[in-house]
Amino acid sequence: MTRSGKAVHHTAVYRTLEALTAVGLTHAVRGPGATRYGITGAPHHHTVCQRCGHVAALASRHLTGAVGGIEELTGLRPDSSGSLLVFGRCSGCIG
């Protein structure tokens, strides 16, 4: 919006993102710092660094076994819209 030269208040942007998330067009990743939003597409998960706040997408196929084990461990069957957030420290913050 800034590039188009039109002034838009940040409150309007966040309300729009929340509305898009509520209807499933975007998803929110909450971690340290600001909430990040992404376009909902192929199911995926995220890693979140608890120190610097870096967020990275992780394809579902990499966690198929872990997600499948959730039902076995808890009785909850994750659906295709579910996502895991894996918190820890990124390689830049470990070293």
Side-chain angles (χ1 to χ4, degrees), residues 14-85:
Y14 285 107
R15 285 184 181 156
T16 301
L17 286 168
E18 289 171 7
L20 292 171
T21 300
V23 298
L25 294 175
T26 61
H27 60 273
V29 179
R30 292 173 175 79
T35 298
R36 292 152 181 96
Y37 294 87
I39 297 171
T40 300
H44 64 283
H45 308 290
H46 297 90
T47 58
V48 181
C49 179
Q50 291 175 300
R51 186 170 186 192
C52 71
H54 176 76
V55 174
L58 184 60
S60 291
R61 70 180 185 279
H62 296 297
L63 292 176
T64 301
V67 172
I70 290 172
E71 182 177 6
E72 189 176 311
L73 292 169
T74 67
L76 174 78
R77 179 179 296 161
D79 62 27
S80 62
S81 65
S83 131
L84 296 175
L85 292 178

